[in-house]
């Protein structure tokens, strides 16, 4: 008998999954490697003086590095008003406009951006319709960059994940998990097919592999930001986080190493693509 796949959270849950404690989210989530931004300079036209749209900005883990490249303006879309308020305060900058709406509902002028970025957020959108809208928002020669800090790497052993898998049995999973052994971010064939269906010409995907070291408190803080953890009732959530804390301390001597993969997908609109903003 083949075990069934666990149920996934609804995409709409991403609009409210992360805003209960913005400060913890901002502190606990790891930054993107510097190579991420170097790649966007080389592959997606990230440079001074351009207009950038960011989709699913959260607390600004990508917004702040993007601002260091001195865009003329950066419009950050964040549907969770709690995260949007945190971002507007934390990353206050005259070049930054924070829009507390969904990408689908936000009023954006067609062909008004040089670069559209979504960082560890695009799996909450319906990919092809979202990409088609992005195509209509880009100027000629504009680019889209979809990036993820993916918690895992199918090609490397992951002892802490294996040791704690039983704590998650029966729980719903994030849309970012994808299907089978591939996460949404690591499923390159599916992401390239989305680009093609939406009228984009994509570059070869790039995957940066690295390791995140955490103590038990860091484990608890990080996992408390996961969507499938925030979706749990409070008592069940506390039991799960207590269990993770205990495993990190007792079985791993207070030091956990998690495999990380930063996935980068960049593309440009095909010249003859039929797109609408």
């Amino acid at each position: 008998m083949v075990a069934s796949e666990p149920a996934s959270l609804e995409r709409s849950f991403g609009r409210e999954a992360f805003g209960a404690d913005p400060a913890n989210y901002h502190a606990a989530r790891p930054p993107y490697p510097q190579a991420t931004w170097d790649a966007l300079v080389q592959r997606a036209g990230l440079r001074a003086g351009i207009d950038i749209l960011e989709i699913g900005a959260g607390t600004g883990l990508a917004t702040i590095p993007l601002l260091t490249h001195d865009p003329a303006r950066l419009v950050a879309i964040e549907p969770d008003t709690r995260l949007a308020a945190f971002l507007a305060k934390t990353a206050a900058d005259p070049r930054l406009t924070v829009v507390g709406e969904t990408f689908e509902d936000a009023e954006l002028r067609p062909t008004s951006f040089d670069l559209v970025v979504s960082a560890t957020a695009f799996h909450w959108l319906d990919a092809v319709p979202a990409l088609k809208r992005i195509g209509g928002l880009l100027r000629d020669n504009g680019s889209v960059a979809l990036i993820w800090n993916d918690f895992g790497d199918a090609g490397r052993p992951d002892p802490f994940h294996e040791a704690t898998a039983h704590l998650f049995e029966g729980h719903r999973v994030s849309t970012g998990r994808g299907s089978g052994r591939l996460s949404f971010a690591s499923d390159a064939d599916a992401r390239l097919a989305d680009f093609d269906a939406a009228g984009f010409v994509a570059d070869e995907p790039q995957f940066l592999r690295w390791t995140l070291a955490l103590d038990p408190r860091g484990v608890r803080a990080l996992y408390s930001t996961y969507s499938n953890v925030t979706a749990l009732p409070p008592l069940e959530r506390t039991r799960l986080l207590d269990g993770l804390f205990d495993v990190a301390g007792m079985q791993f001597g207070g030091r956990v190493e998690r495999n990380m993969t930063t996935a980068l997908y960049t593309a440009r609109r095909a010249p003859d693509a039929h797109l609408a903003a």
Side-chain angles (χ1 to χ4, degrees), residues 35-46 203 206 266 268:
T36 306
W37 315 113
D38 297 340
L40 264 60
V41 169
Q42 298 165 8
R43 296 158 55 117
L46 177 60
D203 300 310
Q206 185 173 353
T266 53
R268 284 152 302 285

Side-chain angles (χ1 to χ4, degrees), residues 17-253:
F18 309 104
D21 190 350
N24 178 68
Y25 185 97
H26 193 71
R29 288 274 175 147
Y32 296 90
Q34 177 58 41
T36 306
W37 315 113
D38 297 340
L40 264 60
V41 169
Q42 298 165 8
R43 296 158 55 117
L46 177 60
R47 63 192 184 279
I50 65 171
D51 294 322
I52 301 174
L53 173 67
E54 184 186 0
I55 302 169
T59 61
L61 293 171
T63 315
I64 295 169
L66 287 170
L67 285 169
T68 68
H69 289 82
D70 196 23
R73 69 182 174 121
L74 195 166
V75 177
I77 304 290
E78 174 46 57
D80 189 314
T81 56
R82 299 164 297 181
L83 296 179
F86 182 92
L87 173 60
K89 181 178 180 181
T90 304
D93 188 294
R95 299 165 297 178
L96 176 65
T97 300
V98 179
V99 178
E101 298 183 60
T102 66
F103 173 60
E104 296 89 343
D105 294 335
E107 293 187 11
L108 301 164
R109 188 161 52 87
T111 61
S112 58
F113 296 98
D114 303 291
L115 173 62
V116 176
V117 177
S118 185
T120 317
F122 198 74
H123 52 279
W124 294 109
L125 300 178
D126 193 355
V128 174
L131 285 169
K132 287 183 176 180
R133 187 175 194 215
I134 288 169
L137 296 169
L138 286 171
R139 296 184 176 121
D140 290 344
N141 301 315
S143 297
V144 57
L146 308 181
I147 63 179
W148 280 269
N149 265 346
D150 203 14
F151 296 91
D153 182 346
R156 290 185 284 169
D158 199 335
F160 186 75
H161 177 73
E162 296 298 328
T164 57
H166 66 282
L167 297 173
F168 292 88
E169 288 179 0
H171 295 176
R172 290 180 295 169
V173 299
S174 167
T175 58
R177 171 169 169 167
S179 59
R181 297 189 70 221
L182 292 177
S183 67
F184 189 95
S186 64
D187 192 347
D189 288 343
R191 303 291 71 79
L192 294 176
D194 291 339
F195 277 130
D196 184 64
F200 280 86
V201 177
D203 300 310
E204 186 72 19
Q206 185 173 353
F207 298 97
L208 309 173
R209 292 176 167 83
W210 51 287
T211 302
L212 175 66
L214 299 164
D215 63 16
R217 290 183 181 274
V219 167
R220 188 186 191 102
L222 175 61
Y223 277 75
S224 71
T225 71
Y226 286 10
S227 58
N228 60 329
V229 176
T230 67
L232 294 172
L235 288 177
E236 191 173 353
R237 185 187 318 136
T238 298
R239 284 195 296 269
L240 171 63
L241 294 172
D242 286 347
L244 292 164
F245 183 93
D246 290 345
V247 171
M250 296 177 185
Q251 296 184 36
F252 287 81

